[in-house]
């Protein structure tokens, strides 16, 4: 995507122009480098344990998070939990299974590229190294006092190979109106369907709730994965966003 395409898409070109802007910050990285001086640059996390990936004093802003991982459990992407805490909060602003954070529903490798999240092929699609794929997030994540990022192994086996980079800037005060990054994961299993033509959705009360949040913020998107266990068209219905006390109709009413 060149600069003209960026502007045509309605996106700011500042992320390119910033390359020539000098800022009074320190660029740093937290990673899983081998503290012994060897080349096994990965964490080993035993079942039930939680590892601290980064504990950073603010002010600052995380710019890039990278993982590549491997585990004997084929469903480990749902059983390894990523958490992020901003500014000494007691409960995490991010609490999501590792795979779902990077858009990998049902623990299946899926390669895609976007402006903010990219999943790249690694050691191949089959065999024991199928999970060695590159998981990248480019969401800016500012904080004023502290950033704490952890990962928990909630599987029954040892999480024997977790490579990661967390690239961040440190030093410049964060503007007061800078939002904090939040992400959560949820599911309904099975989802309760309506029964057209006998039932109609005219109030949204039976909708599956993707997000319910309070305060001042920006909604930046979601990954939605549907496992159709009945076959045929799964009847996804309409997407609806109710904002600031909307009753009916919502501020955004899509077509599914």
């Amino acid at each position: 995507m060149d600069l003209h395409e960026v502007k045509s898409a309605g996106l700011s070109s500042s992320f390119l122009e910033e390359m020539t802007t000098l800022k009074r910050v320190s660029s740093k990285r937290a990673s899983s480098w081998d503290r012994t001086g060897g080349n096994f640059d990965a964490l080993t996390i035993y079942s039930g344990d939680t590892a601290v990936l980064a504990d950073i004093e603010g002010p600052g802003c995380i710019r890039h998070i990278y993982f590549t991982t491997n585990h004997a459990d084929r469903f480990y992407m749902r059983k390894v939990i990523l958490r992020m805490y901003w500014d000494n909060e007691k409960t995490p602003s991010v609490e999501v299974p590792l795979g779902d954070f990077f858009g990998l529903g049902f623990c299946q490798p899926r390669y895609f590229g976007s402006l903010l999240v990219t999943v790249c092929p690694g050691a191949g699609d089959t065999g024991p190294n199928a999970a060695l794929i590159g998981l990248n997030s480019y969401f800016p994540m500012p904080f004023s006092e502290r950033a704490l990022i952890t990962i928990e192994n909630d599987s029954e086996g040892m999480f024997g190979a977790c490579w990661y980079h967390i690239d961040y800037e440190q030093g410049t005060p964060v503007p007061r109106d800078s939002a904090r990054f939040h992400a959560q994961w949820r599911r309904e299993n099975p989802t309760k369907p309506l029964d057209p033509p006998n039932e109609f959705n005219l109030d949204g009360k039976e909708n599956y709730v993707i997000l319910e949040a309070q305060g001042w913020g920006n909604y930046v998107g979601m990954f939605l994965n549907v496992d159709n266990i009945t076959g045929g068209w799964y009847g996804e219905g309409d997407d609806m966003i109710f904002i600031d006390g909307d009753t009916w109709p919502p501020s955004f009413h899509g077509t599914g």
Side-chain angles (χ1 to χ4, degrees):
M1 178 178 288
D2 63 24
L3 191 58
H4 174 73
E5 291 172 326
V6 168
K7 291 180 177 178
S8 298
L11 302 173
S12 170
S13 61
S14 62
F15 72 97
L16 298 178
E17 294 167 353
E18 282 185 357
M19 293 173 66
T20 60
T21 301
L22 301 180
K23 297 185 289 185
R24 297 188 180 278
V25 298
S26 296
S27 294
K28 298 184 178 182
R29 169 179 289 172
S31 77
S32 56
W33 64 276
D34 190 339
R35 269 62 173 175
T36 71
N39 196 37
F40 187 75
D41 297 311
L43 288 183
T44 296
I45 310 171
Y46 292 95
S47 177
D49 286 354
T50 296
V52 174
L53 304 182
D55 191 351
I56 308 165
E57 292 186 5
C61 184
I62 291 169
R63 294 294 185 181
H64 172 226
I65 298 176
Y66 157 82
F67 281 95
T68 188
T69 58
N70 205 358
H71 196 302
D73 187 340
R74 61 175 296 192
F75 299 114
Y76 81 95
M77 284 283 187
R78 180 61 56 79
K79 299 176 181 179
V80 175
I81 313 303
L82 187 63
R83 295 184 177 93
M84 303 182 192
Y85 304 78
W86 313 125
D87 302 328
N88 297 306
E89 61 188 352
K90 301 301 182 183
T91 57
S93 290
V94 174
E95 189 171 29
V96 183
L98 180 66
D100 295 277
F101 183 84
F102 293 96
L104 304 183
F106 313 117
C107 308
Q108 298 297 310
R110 293 291 184 267
Y111 309 135
F112 65 91
S114 71
L115 189 63
L116 293 171
V117 179
T118 299
V119 178
C120 305
D125 295 328
T126 60
N129 292 323
L132 288 174
I133 55 180
L135 310 174
N136 295 273
S137 166
Y138 297 94
F139 282 102
M141 304 178 186
F143 53 95
S144 294
E145 299 176 25
R146 184 188 183 196
L148 176 63
I149 301 178
T150 68
I151 192 166
E152 178 186 1
N153 179 11
D154 200 29
S155 72
E156 295 181 357
M158 182 178 68
F159 187 22
C162 176
W163 295 265
Y164 74 90
H165 294 167
I166 298 174
D167 300 319
Y168 63 95
E169 296 173 347
Q170 188 178 39
T172 299
V174 177
R176 294 183 62 183
D177 60 354
S178 291
R180 298 301 184 264
F181 180 84
H182 289 70
Q184 60 180 226
W185 172 83
R186 62 179 65 183
R187 70 174 178 177
E188 185 175 84
N189 185 23
T191 302
K192 179 182 180 296
L194 294 177
D195 183 26
N198 301 313
E199 295 181 273
F200 297 91
N201 188 348
L202 293 176
D203 54 20
K205 291 181 180 179
E206 295 296 328
N207 287 0
Y208 171 66
V209 177
I210 293 169
L211 172 70
E212 184 173 2
Q214 295 181 347
W216 185 28
N218 296 325
Y219 173 68
V220 297
M222 67 169 178
F223 286 105
L224 173 65
N225 292 274
V226 178
D227 184 10
N228 181 6
I229 62 176
T230 62
W233 178 55
Y234 58 87
E236 87 288 351
D238 296 350
D239 50 298
M240 305 177 193
I241 303 179
F242 296 82
I243 301 175
D244 296 340
D246 282 348
T247 52
W248 184 268
S251 293
F252 288 79
H253 194 146
T255 60

